[in-house]
Each structure stands twice: as C-alpha cells, then as structure tokens.
Amino acid sequence: MNTNDTLIPLLGIVTDIRQDTPDVKTFRVVAPDGGKVFEHMPGQCAMLSIPGVGEGMFSITSSPTNKEFMEFSIKKCGCLTTWLHQMDVGQMITIRGPYGNAFPVETELKGKDLLFVAGGIGLAPLRSVINYVRDNRSNYGSVRIVYGSRSKDDLVDYEEIIDEWMNDEGIEVNLTIDNPQEGWDGHVGFVPNYVKELNPSTNSTVLVCGPPIMIKFTLAGLKELGFKETQVYTTMELRMKCGVGKCGRCNIGNKYVCKDGPVFRFDELGELPDEY
Amino acid sequence: MQEAMIKRAKELLADGTVDRVMGWKKGEFAYDHTPAVFTSAQDLEENFVCDELTSANLSKYLVKETVREGKVLAFLKPCDTYSFNQLVKEHRIDREKVYVIGIPGGPKLDIEKIKAKGITGILSVKNENYTLKIDTIYGVSEMPFYEAVSGKCANCKSKKHVVYDELIGEDGDVLDSGRFEMVEKLENMTAQERYDFWRSELSKCIRCNACRNVCPACTCEKCVFDNPSSGVENKAAADSFEENMFHIIRAFHVAGRCTDCGECSRVCPQNIPLHLLNRKFIKDINELYGTYQAGENTTDKAPLNDYKMDDCEASVVHERGAE
Amino acid sequence: MQVNENKEFQPLIVAFCCNWCSYAGADLSGTNRLNYPTNVKIIRVPCSCRVNPMFILRAFQRGADGVILCGCHPGDCHYTSGNYFTRRRMTLLFGMLDFLGIERDRTRVEWVSAAEGAKFAATMNEFTEAVRKLGPNRRLEDLRCRKQ
Amino acid sequence: MFRKITVEKLDQLFQAISAKQSLYIPTDREDGAAEFRKYENGMKLSNALNTVRSAKDFFFPQTENLAAFKMEGKKIEVKDIREECEDFVIFGVRGCDARSFDILDKVYLVDPVDSFYKNRREHGTVVTMACTRPSETCFCTAFGIDPTMPGGDVTAFPDGDGFFLMANTEKGEKLLADISDLLEDGDSEKLMAVQENTRNVLKKLPLADLSTESFGGERLKEIFNSDKWAGLSESCIGCGTCTFVCPTCQCYDIKDFNTGDGIVRFRCWDSCMYSDFTKMAHGNPRISQLERFRQRFMHKLVYFPANNDGEFGCVGCGRCLQKCPISMNIVKVMKALEVK
C-alpha cells in the first residue's frame, strides 16, 4: 500500500523553544532520529500540527544552510499557536512539507544588491533568506535590512540581529520601532516612512514581508523612490489545509498561495484580483 | 395578482414609502424564480414575478434588509407572515423598516413533483382548471394540479395573515390542516420501524446545510455546528451519529420558535422530510403545554422559555405510543 | 488478563447531577454506605438546567449506554426555576429520541434531593438494570468511538 | 466490435459483473429521485436522466480517513489507516459526469499526486450511458461534451430495447470480455436513428445556445471586478447544496476527530460558499457572501481554464439548476456576465 502521500505527515521533535517577544516563540525542530526532517529552500513553508488541535502552515525561519535543524518563529494567534506556545521541549509534532516556491536565491537574486524590509513577525520568512545570503555571501551584492516593530520587545530575533547580523561586514541593519521607548536610542517611526528616509539605491532587489498594511505603504514608498514592481518580492499567507493546491481555499485568482506562492513578485500580484 | 403587486410596488416606490421591494425574480425557465430586491419601476416591470412557483419564504431576507438604510416593501404569503412575526418577536427584524403587503398564499407547486412523473424538458407550466398543462421539448404533458402541490402547502395550517400593513386579495382563516397525521403515523410504529424509517431518510443527508440556512428561525450569527470551540462542529457526517445529532439539534434549536413554514423540506436536495422533526416538537408542545403557534403574535412567551409548576414529568415519554 | 467470553454486559451510565441536590444526594448515599453500580459515572453540573441536549447526545456518542439527569425536586431549585426548564426541555428531547426510534429506557430524568441518598442509590440500581436489559447502545453510537 | 445486450438480459449482465466486483448502478429511491447504489439482485436500473449526487463520490467520497494518531505524553505515533480499495464498476454514468472525472484528474493526479484518489481511480471501471432524453437543465454541449458519445471505459448506447456496448480502454475491453457470452449482434440502424433524434433534441434545448466565449483566463480581472456580482449573490443563502451536488467541485477540509482512543484525521468535502472556508485566526479575505459566491463561479469559469488550457470547471450537468434552494446558478451567472 502506498503510504507516502503528502497528506500523511512525518514526525518532528521540538528540541528548543526560545521566547523571542511576548507573543512570538521560536521552535527548533529535528527528526526523531536526529537531523532535519526534510530539506527546503528559503521562503518555503511546512505544515505543522498537533493532532486533535489543528494544523497550520508556517514559514521555515531557519536557513537551508543550517544542516542540523529547522526553526519556526510562531506568533501566538489562534488555537494551534496557543497550544504550541504552551508546550515544552521534547514534545513531538507532526510536520509535512516543504511546500510552496521559494525566493529565487539561486537565480534572479544572485549577484544583486538586496534590500530586506520586514515588520513584526514578517521577519520570520526573511530570516531564512538573510542567513542563506550570509552563508553564501560572495554570491550577492550589498545587503541592507530594514526591520521595524511595535516596540523594542517585539523585535523578533533581536539577539541574532545585534550579535551576528550587525557584526557582519557588508550588511547594514536599520531598526525602527513605532513609538519612543525608554532604553531605545535607535530610530522611531513606521517602516514605510523609514524606508523612504533611508533612500536606498534603486539598483537593489527588495524582499518585503509584514502586515498587509505595511506592505501596501512600503510598496507605494518604493515606487516613489523609483523602484519597479518587478524588483519587489513578497510572501503571502492565506488559509491553507492541504498545502499542495488541491483543497481549494488559498487561491488569489488562479494562483494557489501554497503551491504557486507564497513568494510573489509584485508585478505577478498585480495581475491577480485584489482578494488577500 | 402579479400585475396588481407590481402596480402597488411601483406606487410605493414612487411616493417614497419604501426604498426597496423584496420579491421574486424570473429565471431562465418557467419555474426557477429567485428571491430578489428591486429598486426601480423598470426592474419590477421586467423581472418581478409571483405565480404558483414562487414558494420561497422571504421573511429571513428581511433580517439582512432591515439592517440597511431605508424601508423595504415585502410581499408575504400567510405562512411567511408567521415567520416574519416570529423574527420581529426575537428582535431580528425592525418592524418599522418593513412595509408588509399580505398576498394570498398557495397552494404552490413543486417542480420536482412534476419531474418525478418523468416529465422532462419543461418549457412552461400552465394551470388550467386545476389540470397542469406542461409544455416540454418532448410534447405537451398533463397532470392533476394537486399531484404537483408542494409539500409545504399540502398541509397548509393557515390562510390568515397575522401581520400586514395592507392586503392584496382577501384574508383567509386558520385551517384544520391535519398536519400531524404523518407524525402520528410514525408515533404508532414500533421503535424499530421508526428507527429504520429515520435511518433511511437521514442517511441521505449530504450536510449541505440548506435546511439550516434557509430556516427563518435559524438566525444565529454563528451556528454551533460551525463553531470549532463548541466541540460538536462538523462539516460532513462522518458517522451515522453525526447525521442524527445534526438533525436532532437543528430541530431542537428551533423548537417553540418554528412556525412550520416548511422551507426545510422544500429546499432539501435529498427530499428528506425534515419538517416531520419540527412538527414532532410542535405536536408535543401542543399536547403537553397547551396549543402554541409560533409567530401568531409577538407577545406570547415561547414554550421553552416558560414553565408551569404542574408540568408533566419527562417520564411521560415512556407512557405514550408504541414501544 | 483473562477475557471472559460470557461476561455479562456492563453498561456505561452517565449521570448528570446538579451540584446542590443530586450530587449531595449521591454523596449521602456514599456516606451511608449504600451500594450503587460502578457503571454509573457522575458528571457534576451547577444546575440540571445546565445540561444542554447536546451533552446527552455526546454522552451517547462517546460510549454511554444510558444517560440519567438528576436535579433538585421541582420547586427546590437553588436557582429558583432551573429544573422547571430542564423538565420541559428534556421531555421534548426524550420525545424526539423516542420518535427517532432510540430506546426510550436509555434516558431518564429523576429528582433527587440532598437528603435522598437512598433514592439516589435505588434509582441508579434500577436504571442500570433497565439499561443492562437493553444491551449496548447501537442506535445512537459513533462507530469511531467504539472500543475495539 | 460493437455488440448489444438486450433489456431482458440486463439483470444477467449485472449479476455477472457483480459476481466478480462491486457494481454500482443508478436506481430509483422511494422518493422518486435516483442515486447510485451497490447492485443487489432484483435492483432496477433507473430511467432518470441523472442522480442527485454525482458520480464523483466514487473517487472522491464525502469523508475519507487519512491517518490516525496515537498520542502518549509528548509522543505521537502516525498510522496509515487507509482501507484497501477493491475493484468496482460504475454503470450508467452520463457524459457530463464522465467528463467531470477528467476535471478531477487535473486536480488530483497532477504532482503531487493524491494517492487516495489515484488508488480509487485505478480500481474503478466506468461504464457510461449515452443520453437519449436530455432535460431543459442540460447544457453540457456548451462545454464541448457530446452526451451521445459519453466516453468512459465502456460506453452503453441505448437503442430502445437494449444497449450497445463499446469498449474505449483496455479496462473496458477486459470488462466486456468477461461478459461476452451475454452479448449478441444488433441492428445498428435503429441505434443511428436514436442518436440522430437525440442530437436534434440537443439543438432544441433552451440552453443550447449558451456561450462560454466570454469566459476563460483572459478576462480574469474584468470579470472579478464586474458590478453584477452583488445582484447575483444577494439572495444566496450560503448553503453548500450547489457544491455538494456538483460533479466537479473538489475542495476539501482536513479535520481531526478525537475518538477517545486517539485522533483520526479525515478529509471531507468543503464548500467555498461557507463563511469559515477561508477564515484564519486573524481575519478572512472573503468576508461577505458576495466574495464567496464569486469565488465559486470564478473558479469554474475563469481560474480553472486559466490553469488548464482553457478547459472549464463545469460540465453542464444541470444539478445546481435543479437543486439550488433559491434557484441561483451558473447559467444565470454566465448569462449576466456575458459580453454580448
């Protein structure tokens, strides 16, 4: 009997749980006999589930260059994520994937200057790309990261940003928070405005992820600066059940986010109906 | 009739009494009329229809319509006025925002009953002295009018309008419908026979939720069967238990509020006699707690919101009918 | 463990007991050393009126062979009138279950006060026997939940 | 070879097939509607044009178990609880339903293949039945289906007193070989006359001139943004009747059921007409019935052809025309959105 249907999940063990922000935790997952459950490319997703609680699509936050484990940064939001936030290290979960396309790190992005724009938990899918780029540094041009959040405490992966990314040569990190806060001497203001202030070179390729409203204004700002839609990539999220374009709910027009996405270039999205 | 309704609707639109008209719109064929909202005289003239095949109950649409700005004209058949009243009573419809014109009721026809006779390719249906002349692509067929009467009209409980602002045609009376006959017949069967009857009926259910969504008494914002936190959420009956569960609870949740409009059975794509479940509750309520007709007025306390010190005990169930 | 082929059928009885009267009645029957079958599993509810028809159905789904609902005597409800509503509700629900051909002896409502420990034990004995005679619940069970 | 089974021998044919594998035929229920049932001796083939539920049930059942989980402390065990599928024959599938299998194939047999569906598809033999009395609700010809040549593994052509049987595939030939001694030579002239007559009726059907020209991937945004949707969807009650009787609706939901002894994960049909279809923890991209209603018809008339070389996701069986509680259906939508 054929047992390898993609709908039948594999198992993973949570070996580490890190509290990133008050409502975001990062989970480290390995296969029961060690190593990664499967290989992926930056931007791809996986279906995580606790049987009886729910199943949900999460972007894989760790870079494929990490050969030991996968990581998922998950915001507490609904039924499943609340459960995940309450579990302890050693818990098994079911996992299937990888699903979706990926950021074109080996094709279109190669050799390009990269500008990453992220808001809040939107850093999760981009972190995979950023670390992939850091590990293959010679393949890419300059790297600039603009990342903002509601407050200092809501910056995901703050320690990694400070300790590793900021210390890398050729990587410029610009952080911002929405409102002034004690102990914060960095920039204050919304991400779209900050991007405009920074006035990045229009040669770079942009990767944006964050709340829909942030994406909308960032795109408008980039266009003002002279960026073209073909230079900007984003990653989407909609309700998913199967992960393979068959259950029929995550479509934007004729594209399924789980299969044709989640990564879209803005000129592609422009051809689709505004229903996301 | 249809002409008089269009004329009156146009007048009321023109003089500003109402902003919209809730009625039925002609379809592709002779029988597929759709409930619709009309806003212009031209639209009314071209598309408004009211005939023997406009059986849909419009009252539930008024929940949505009365949330909108302005006043809406609704044409209600006698049975629809009961549903309307019940919704007013439950504060789901703002009475002030509806101008009700009572129109004579059925008997309405059920196109499926015509098709069940093997008549297919239907182009038009005409009632000539209670003989239906059905023009089809395979020639003309005839059948007695009463053999095609919709199930919901077969045991009409009332031709009286319980609420209206004006009437077109004459008001009728509450009828002695004999509507509990089938319930009684089932009650007199043995438990095994009843079980077999309902198993064969309910196992046809495809859980399309048409019975629930069309029901004027089912107006919850979120149904318990759609709510993952309820513990009973289900989308498809994965086991015969879930078929029973859904239909028992559906009927129970409208017990004492169901006006017996018959929409549930009319819309069931699998022809399950769902109204029998509702009628069972109505019959029990009538027998045990005194005759009660939901929607008859907007003041009486609903039987399940009420009690008497000397109500019968639940063991009464053990003392009735066949085992 | 030995499996006895001829083992007598042991029904699973779910008893919803109101906190103020019937649960205390069950307690009293215990302190009085009165016997009632271990088949009875008690679920304490604040008032008999808390028991939604779905509770009864779900008990059957999850393997109960009989469901009994116990509350304060009419007139004695801690919340004044809860049990009056229960009475109407359950009468209609049981009538419907009967109408669908579900054995009527699988369901019961009984009023048990905090002082009626003996009545509680007697009721449970009697009800368990009645359900035992009916055999396993097959008409309102969920096959997925049947114990292998 | 073109051979015939007479009406008198039909029971023998059914018995011969059902002796070797499960046979399903459309048969009349007490309420007059037809449904596919497993053949038992004495069961009569329905004369109805179509069944209420479509034939997709055989390959894509309403509920289907995917896996079971045993939970113990922090441990999870996954079990494949798939049931072995046995060979079966569906007899009397109309041309519209037969085409619907091609459409489902384009969803479930593309990479990654749905092994549950594929398994059933491999074990099923489809015997189609040519139409002779199409109904006013039929519009399969609009989608290029010829109901007098319905395809499938074997096609049965009724000629009034029997059926000519023609194998179209290897599977079909195998089925016919098993029952060859029940077949006899027939006069094909009568069959030609029946077919000719049916073709003439098809031309006279009220929906014979329904055009699909205005639809397809090219006008995606234009159709999506049409102002007609509001009026079309205003009386939709948001039930799932159209989707559940539809032979091509293939959306599903995946759910877990706690049996008390473990978790069973199953999938079941879902409907894009339901309000929770796209609901997420933090919002819903389709908040009103207009958007959900639009999705269903956009999928059939625009998205599906955009992804499948212009093939539409509708087969014109007419079930939604007959069963919609408020008589709103794809034909009305097509006529309203048509570019004249």
Side-chain angles (χ1 to χ4, degrees):
Chain A
M1 204 185 287
N2 183 3
T3 54
N4 57 4
D5 196 285
T6 184
L7 296 179
I8 299 176
L10 303 167
L11 291 171
I13 295 178
V14 177
T15 54
D16 183 52
I17 300 175
R18 194 168 72 230
Q19 181 97 38
D20 273 315
T21 77
D23 57 2
V24 175
K25 279 185 177 180
T26 298
F27 302 91
R28 188 170 288 182
V29 178
V30 301
D33 45 6
K36 286 202 281 190
V37 185
F38 46 73
E39 294 297 328
H40 75 283
M41 286 303 282
Q44 281 192 304
C45 304
M47 273 286 198
L48 303 187
S49 147
I50 299 292
V53 180
E55 192 169 37
M57 188 72 105
F58 298 96
S59 58
I60 304 166
T61 342
S62 56
S63 159
T65 46
N66 183 329
K67 294 295 172 200
E68 286 141 45
F69 54 81
M70 284 195 275
E71 278 189 340
F72 298 88
S73 290
I74 296 172
K75 183 168 171 167
K76 190 158 133 185
C77 191
C79 182
L80 174 67
T81 51
T82 304
W83 205 101
L84 292 174
H85 269 247
Q86 283 166 355
M87 72 186 177
D88 297 322
V89 167
Q91 173 71 44
M92 268 186 164
I93 58 170
T94 76
I95 176 167
R96 58 192 177 92
Y99 293 129
N101 61 2
F103 285 101
V105 283
E106 288 302 315
T107 50
E108 282 138 64
L109 298 187
K110 230 169 180 177
K112 297 271 168 60
D113 293 342
L114 300 177
L115 168 65
F116 295 89
V117 182
I121 187 67
L123 185 68
L126 296 186
R127 182 176 162 233
S128 176
V129 195
I130 292 169
N131 281 333
Y132 186 86
V133 169
R134 287 176 59 230
D135 292 336
N136 298 285
R137 197 62 197 89
S138 56
N139 288 341
Y140 306 91
S142 71
V143 172
R144 180 170 211 170
I145 300 163
V146 183
Y147 178 44
S149 212
R150 278 173 303 181
S151 70
K152 185 183 167 220
D153 304 327
D154 287 304
L155 289 166
V156 181
D157 294 311
Y158 189 58
E159 275 156 33
E160 184 172 305
I161 295 171
I162 299 291
D163 298 345
E164 297 182 26
W165 298 0
M166 284 192 164
N167 291 334
D168 265 23
E169 245 172 75
I171 293 189
E172 194 182 342
V173 182
N174 303 101
L175 299 179
T176 179
I177 60 174
D178 290 354
N179 294 305
Q181 187 182 358
E182 220 168 285
W184 178 262
D185 50 8
H187 187 273
V188 174
F190 293 124
V191 172
N193 298 336
Y194 193 31
V195 172
K196 267 201 279 182
E197 277 171 39
L198 292 168
N199 195 13
S201 143
T202 51
N203 289 330
S204 16
T205 303
V206 191
L207 291 79
V208 194
C209 187
I213 190 82
M214 184 211 94
I215 296 183
K216 196 179 141 196
F217 283 106
T218 305
L219 183 70
L222 288 169
K223 276 186 183 168
E224 271 175 44
L225 293 173
F227 281 86
K228 290 196 246 357
E229 284 191 336
T230 46
Q231 282 174 280
V232 188
Y233 293 83
T234 190
T235 165
M236 308 290 299
E237 186 196 16
L238 285 174
R239 181 72 170 165
M240 296 174 194
K241 283 286 179 179
C242 68
V244 285
K246 302 190 196 298
C247 79
R249 68 195 65 220
C250 66
N251 66 310
I252 303 171
N254 61 327
K255 299 284 184 208
Y256 288 98
V257 173
C258 64
K259 197 178 80 179
D260 307 311
V263 177
F264 290 97
R265 216 168 57 194
F266 266 98
D267 57 318
E268 295 168 346
L269 275 182
E271 288 164 17
L272 300 174
D274 186 21
E275 192 176 47
Y276 44 84
Chain B
M1 169 58 55
Q2 182 181 312
E3 294 316 309
M5 289 162 71
I6 295 174
K7 185 167 162 279
R8 190 67 188 122
K10 274 162 50 184
E11 284 168 13
L12 289 166
L13 267 183
D15 69 17
T17 312
V18 298
D19 304 277
R20 303 181 297 281
V21 178
M22 183 88 220
W24 302 268
K25 194 176 188 165
K26 277 187 204 117
E28 280 301 308
F29 310 117
Y31 54 82
D32 60 338
H33 310 315
T34 302
V37 178
F38 300 82
T39 48
S40 72
Q42 193 198 349
D43 198 10
L44 281 164
E45 271 165 21
E46 285 170 6
N47 295 315
F48 187 92
V49 62
C50 180
D51 59 17
E52 276 122 353
L53 286 147
T54 48
S55 47
N57 181 347
L58 301 181
S59 47
K60 191 176 185 181
Y61 287 108
L62 298 171
V63 175
K64 200 171 66 185
E65 281 305 315
T66 52
V67 176
R68 295 170 59 189
E69 280 291 306
K71 196 159 179 171
V72 60
L73 163 62
F75 289 107
L76 298 182
K77 306 187 292 289
C79 48
D80 303 349
T81 60
Y82 284 83
S83 313
F84 178 81
N85 236 5
Q86 182 65 26
L87 285 164
V88 170
K89 180 175 170 177
E90 292 168 9
H91 308 288
R92 297 311 309 267
I93 289 180
D94 183 352
R95 179 68 184 88
E96 297 302 310
K97 280 182 159 179
V98 190
Y99 190 87
V100 178
I101 295 187
I103 55 167
K108 300 286 179 186
L109 298 176
D110 180 354
I111 196 71
E112 300 228 345
K113 290 204 171 167
I114 298 175
K115 290 186 175 174
K117 294 270 176 198
I119 299 171
T120 179
I122 298 168
L123 299 172
S124 76
V125 181
K126 281 195 201 75
N127 175 14
E128 289 178 9
N129 275 329
Y130 294 101
T131 299
L132 292 180
K133 292 248 165 36
I134 302 144
D135 188 21
T136 78
I137 36 180
Y138 302 103
V140 179
S141 297
E142 283 189 12
M143 73 181 284
F145 180 89
Y146 283 101
E147 285 180 20
V149 164
S150 168
K152 68 184 257 180
C153 297
N155 293 95
C156 180
K157 64 178 179 291
S158 171
K159 295 222 176 266
K160 181 177 147 69
H161 295 83
V162 290
V163 55
Y164 57 84
D165 293 306
E166 67 178 80
L167 278 176
I168 291 181
E170 280 178 18
D171 207 2
D173 297 312
V174 175
L175 306 177
D176 180 18
S177 57
R179 59 184 166 134
F180 299 119
E181 274 166 21
M182 187 58 195
V183 178
E184 265 160 38
K185 199 178 143 196
L186 279 164
E187 283 173 344
N188 290 326
M189 290 179 177
T190 65
Q192 183 67 47
E193 283 167 343
R194 281 198 298 271
Y195 179 75
D196 293 342
F197 172 84
W198 282 112
R199 215 62 304 284
S200 81
E201 290 295 346
L202 296 182
S203 62
K204 294 191 292 195
C205 176
I206 55 172
R207 266 313 292 283
C208 64
N209 291 319
C211 50
R212 179 191 76 185
N213 290 16
V214 82
C215 176
C218 278
T219 55
C220 291
E221 291 291 322
K222 190 162 191 87
C223 178
V224 67
F225 287 105
D226 289 345
N227 180 1
S229 333
S230 72
V232 294
E233 183 215 18
N234 65 57
K235 260 193 184 143
D239 189 275
S240 66
F241 173 84
E242 288 186 333
E243 286 159 4
N244 287 333
M245 171 89 157
F246 176 75
H247 289 289
I248 294 171
I249 299 300
R250 184 196 66 79
F252 194 91
H253 280 182
V254 297
R257 307 192 297 120
C258 166
T259 63
D260 201 6
C261 74
E263 284 285 273
C264 44
S265 294
R266 178 183 73 85
V267 301
C268 180
Q270 290 281 50
N271 306 331
I272 304 173
L274 296 165
H275 64 284
L276 292 179
L277 297 174
N278 299 0
R279 279 189 187 160
K280 167 69 179 166
F281 280 131
I282 297 173
K283 181 171 177 283
D284 276 1
I285 289 170
N286 284 349
E287 285 173 4
L288 301 173
Y289 310 121
T291 307
Y292 178 83
Q293 172 60 52
E296 196 173 19
N297 56 50
T298 54
T299 47
D300 281 358
K301 226 173 174 186
L304 280 174
N305 289 350
D306 198 9
Y307 63 87
K308 288 204 186 72
M309 305 277 191
D310 57 351
D311 277 341
C312 59
E313 293 296 335
S315 57
V316 69
V317 173
H318 296 250
E319 291 145 22
R320 294 180 309 172
E323 170 64 44
Chain C
M1 203 173 80
Q2 282 271 305
V3 178
N4 183 357
E5 291 282 323
N6 300 320
K7 205 170 64 179
E8 192 188 15
F9 164 61
Q10 290 299 338
L12 178 66
I13 308 290
V14 172
F16 290 100
C17 291
C18 100
N19 180 46
W20 306 99
C21 290
S22 310
Y23 195 81
D27 227 10
L28 184 65
S29 81
T31 45
N32 285 351
R33 305 275 174 125
L34 296 168
N35 280 327
Y36 67 88
T38 51
N39 309 51
V40 179
K41 312 290 176 207
I42 295 178
I43 297 177
R44 178 159 65 161
V45 286
C47 175
S48 60
C49 175
R50 171 69 184 90
V51 177
N52 180 319
M54 278 186 284
F55 289 12
I56 311 255
L57 298 184
R58 288 182 76 197
F60 282 120
Q61 176 185 29
R62 302 271 155 188
D65 300 297
V67 180
I68 183 165
L69 173 53
C70 301
C72 311
H73 283 269
D76 292 345
C77 177
H78 185 80
Y79 308 98
T80 322
S81 54
N83 52 6
Y84 286 120
F85 292 110
T86 308
R87 187 160 66 177
R88 282 203 170 186
R89 234 178 257 166
M90 290 305 143
T91 308
L92 290 183
L93 177 69
F94 294 174
M96 177 54 72
L97 293 179
D98 182 44
F99 190 61
L100 291 178
I102 317 294
E103 303 93 333
R104 52 178 71 162
D105 288 334
R106 290 198 191 278
T107 46
R108 188 183 291 190
V109 173
E110 204 68 57
W111 310 125
V112 179
S113 81
E116 293 175 327
K119 181 177 178 187
F120 183 86
T123 305
M124 291 305 154
N125 278 310
E126 195 191 311
F127 186 61
T128 308
E129 278 322 300
V131 175
R132 199 193 305 274
K133 260 187 225 140
L134 287 174
N137 162 34
R138 288 287 176 260
R139 291 186 181 171
L140 199 55
E141 75 167 340
D142 193 321
L143 279 176
R144 295 171 297 177
C145 298
R146 191 189 277 194
K147 295 277 176 295
Q148 309 299 302
Chain D
M1 226 356 247
F2 217 36
R3 307 247 295 166
K4 181 177 171 180
I5 180 103
T6 57
V7 169
E8 296 79 47
K9 283 193 182 162
L10 200 56
D11 281 339
Q12 284 179 18
L13 173 84
F14 290 156
Q15 280 159 17
I17 298 175
S18 62
K20 290 198 167 173
Q21 45 189 326
S22 303
L23 167 68
Y24 297 88
I25 64 167
T27 187
D28 287 328
R29 280 193 320 229
E30 280 164 28
D31 62 5
E35 73 177 4
F36 281 103
R37 280 195 185 158
K38 194 168 178 176
Y39 178 78
E40 287 163 16
N41 276 352
M43 202 179 264
K44 289 280 165 264
L45 188 67
S46 170
N47 284 322
L49 179 68
N50 235 330
T51 49
V52 178
R53 294 176 74 146
S54 80
K56 78 173 169 187
D57 299 33
F58 292 101
F59 304 118
F60 177 46
Q62 185 156 18
T63 62
E64 174 171 36
N65 287 338
L66 298 177
F69 302 95
K70 201 96 180 159
M71 319 280 286
E72 233 184 297
K74 289 180 175 177
K75 269 203 162 128
I76 301 175
E77 192 190 328
V78 190
K79 281 190 282 189
D80 192 334
I81 49 169
R82 203 180 306 206
E83 280 163 28
E84 197 72 66
C85 184
E86 287 171 356
D87 286 347
F88 62 95
V89 176
I90 334 170
F91 187 94
V93 176
R94 297 292 180 181
C96 45
D97 282 9
R99 170 69 69 86
S100 80
F101 302 151
D102 297 342
I103 291 174
L104 294 177
D105 285 353
K106 291 200 162 112
V107 177
Y108 286 117
L109 296 186
V110 295
D111 188 56
V113 173
D114 188 290
S115 62
F116 298 87
Y117 176 85
K118 181 163 173 262
N119 191 18
R120 287 203 167 80
R121 202 79 174 86
E122 280 167 356
H123 284 89
T125 307
V126 177
V127 182
T128 60
M129 172 84 75
C131 294
T132 53
R133 268 175 83 84
S135 149
E136 78 279 6
T137 52
C138 292
F139 55 105
C140 59
T141 49
F143 299 104
I145 296 167
D146 179 358
T148 62
M149 297 293 281
D153 295 310
V154 175
T155 310
F157 300 95
D159 73 341
D161 49 47
F163 303 92
F164 281 88
L165 296 175
M166 183 175 81
N168 306 317
T169 64
E170 224 172 88
K171 241 194 232 172
E173 273 165 20
K174 203 167 146 271
L175 183 76
L176 287 194
D178 287 348
I179 50 158
S180 60
D181 46 338
L182 290 169
L183 305 181
E184 55 195 59
D185 290 329
D187 175 12
S188 63
E189 246 172 66
K190 213 165 128 199
L191 174 64
M192 295 305 156
V194 169
Q195 295 229 318
E196 189 52 36
N197 182 42
T198 312
R199 291 205 180 95
N200 285 332
V201 173
L202 286 171
K203 282 182 210 141
K204 285 193 293 182
L205 291 178
L207 300 178
D209 56 351
L210 188 70
S211 160
T212 57
E213 261 177 38
S214 312
F215 304 96
E218 305 78 35
R219 290 180 61 222
L220 192 147
K221 280 188 108 169
E222 186 189 336
I223 300 177
F224 185 91
N225 293 321
S226 165
D227 55 8
K228 298 270 172 48
W229 292 112
L232 288 166
S233 65
E234 74 181 12
S235 49
C236 177
I237 60 172
C239 72
T241 307
C242 52
T243 41
F244 290 175
V245 296
C246 178
T248 67
C249 268
Q250 65 16 252
C251 295
Y252 62 79
D253 195 356
I254 297 177
K255 298 217 156 275
D256 287 352
F257 178 79
N258 189 338
T259 65
D261 194 36
I263 308 289
V264 175
R265 181 164 290 173
F266 64 102
R267 72 165 162 207
C268 59
W269 293 353
D270 201 351
S271 171
C272 52
M273 292 289 194
Y274 289 167
S275 57
D276 58 353
F277 187 65
T278 51
K279 191 167 179 281
M280 292 177 280
H282 60 269
N284 192 344
R286 299 187 199 129
I287 43 171
S288 72
Q289 196 59 30
L290 184 154
E291 286 144 343
R292 303 190 275 266
F293 180 93
R294 175 171 61 191
Q295 162 65 19
R296 176 157 195 274
F297 298 103
M298 287 297 285
H299 189 190
K300 300 226 179 290
L301 298 171
V302 180
Y303 304 156
F304 196 84
N307 293 344
N308 293 282
D309 307 320
E311 180 164 3
F312 290 95
C314 174
V315 293
C317 69
R319 285 185 177 90
C320 54
L321 277 65
Q322 296 171 38
K323 290 299 179 185
C324 175
I326 55 133
S327 301
M328 177 46 70
N329 51 57
I330 194 161
V331 169
K332 289 183 180 176
V333 169
M334 285 169 78
K335 292 208 168 174
L337 294 170
E338 199 173 18
V339 186
K340 297 234 170 72

